[in-house]
Amino acid sequence: MDFINELLRNRRSIRRFKETKIENEKIELIKKAILMSPSGKRFNEWEFIFIDDKNILDQLSYCKEHGSELLRNAPLGIVVIADKNKSDIVIEDCSIASIIAQLAAESIGLGSCWVQCRLRKTADGKDSEDVVREILNIPDNYFVQSIIAIGYKDQDRKPFEDANLQWEKIHTNTF
Ligand SMILES: Cc1cc2nc3c(=O)[nH]c(=O)nc-3n(C[C@H](O)[C@H](O)[C@H](O)COP(=O)(O)O)c2cc1C
């Protein structure tokens, strides 16, 4: 219980990363974690593209007008996609896998940030999902949820504090 509390308390979005390469064992652990993500009816329609090629990460960093530039200095990006023909709840399943990737990263001393692709546009108005599909040769029937940037943290973020949580958001028995 302490472990999950600590993990959640410390996970903050990290947008600046050190150059340090992520060890293969850590990448394997993240792969294992996302493959254990829950999915509706266990359809497992998600798929993940691990990107450590600087040139490709640079191209992806322009997939949105704002909020994707951090991919330029990330050592790893995980593109979370799903075959839309295999499930009608791809958004939910891909979102869960995305946060699991972030929490797994945090648990092994890495920082992460979610880069949203669905419903986003590039600076010149192209659909972000289309741009990512084109860069990575992803077929049209695949939905592109997010790119999770991961790496060793190069910034300090304050952990959450109990006293500052929005306790008013919690209701009991009725609204
Ligand atoms: C669904 C979702 C989409 C997000 N998209 C982006 C994004 O495109 N770019 C970015 O820099 N951060 C993105 N974030 C990170 C949020 O901005 C961040 O979680 C929020 O500001 C709270 O900060 P914290 O994660 O440090 O608690 C996203 C987070 C979520 C959950």
Side-chain angles (χ1 to χ4, degrees):
M1 197 60 189
D2 272 359
F3 172 75
I4 192 79
N5 256 317
E6 275 308 295
L7 190 66
L8 296 172
R9 189 185 292 280
N10 287 309
R11 190 233 37 95
R12 302 300 314 276
S13 294
I14 295 297
R15 299 185 175 87
R16 286 201 301 275
F17 302 100
K18 295 184 176 158
E19 294 275 326
T20 321
K21 192 178 167 343
I22 305 174
E23 298 85 340
N24 285 338
E25 312 81 74
K26 292 198 171 184
I27 293 179
E28 288 310 301
L29 193 143
I30 296 170
K31 287 180 182 169
K32 229 190 312 183
I34 50 182
L35 292 174
M36 290 190 276
S37 301
S39 80
K41 299 190 180 164
R42 189 40 81 202
F43 281 157
N44 295 6
E45 73 282 7
W46 25 240
E47 295 186 36
F48 309 94
I49 307 179
F50 277 63
I51 306 202
D52 60 4
D53 180 311
K54 281 273 162 213
N55 179 265
I56 302 174
L57 286 166
D58 185 67
Q59 292 177 53
L60 290 172
S61 75
Y62 296 95
C63 75
K64 299 196 337 159
E65 182 169 15
H66 305 290
S68 51
E69 54 289 330
L70 63 121
L71 290 167
R72 248 167 266 158
N73 83 342
L76 177 68
I78 306 173
V79 183
V80 182
I81 61 175
D83 185 339
K84 286 183 281 190
N85 298 329
K86 289 192 178 158
S87 171
D88 58 355
I89 50 171
V90 289
I91 300 172
E92 289 84 346
D93 290 342
C94 285
S95 296
I96 291 168
S98 297
I99 191 64
I100 293 234
Q102 291 197 268
L103 293 175
E106 181 67 39
S107 78
I108 48 178
L110 299 165
S112 69
C113 189
W114 179 314
V115 174
Q116 174 73 10
C117 298
R118 190 179 77 86
L119 299 178
R120 295 292 177 263
K121 294 213 178 300
T122 61
D124 54 358
K126 290 186 194 147
D127 180 82
S128 300
E129 283 192 68
D130 287 342
V131 170
V132 174
R133 272 193 289 264
E134 198 178 316
I135 297 170
L136 302 174
N137 294 314
I138 300 169
D140 284 347
N141 54 308
Y142 277 76
F143 153 81
V144 182
Q145 168 75 61
S146 61
I147 305 174
I148 306 300
I150 297 181
Y152 281 97
K153 302 176 189 179
D154 196 23
Q155 70 181 122
D156 286 328
R157 295 287 319 273
K158 271 203 182 138
F160 288 100
E161 285 174 28
D162 288 358
N164 296 338
L165 297 177
Q166 293 176 298
W167 295 101
E168 71 279 9
K169 303 275 174 152
I170 309 285
H171 308 269
T172 303
N173 290 333
T174 183
F175 185 83

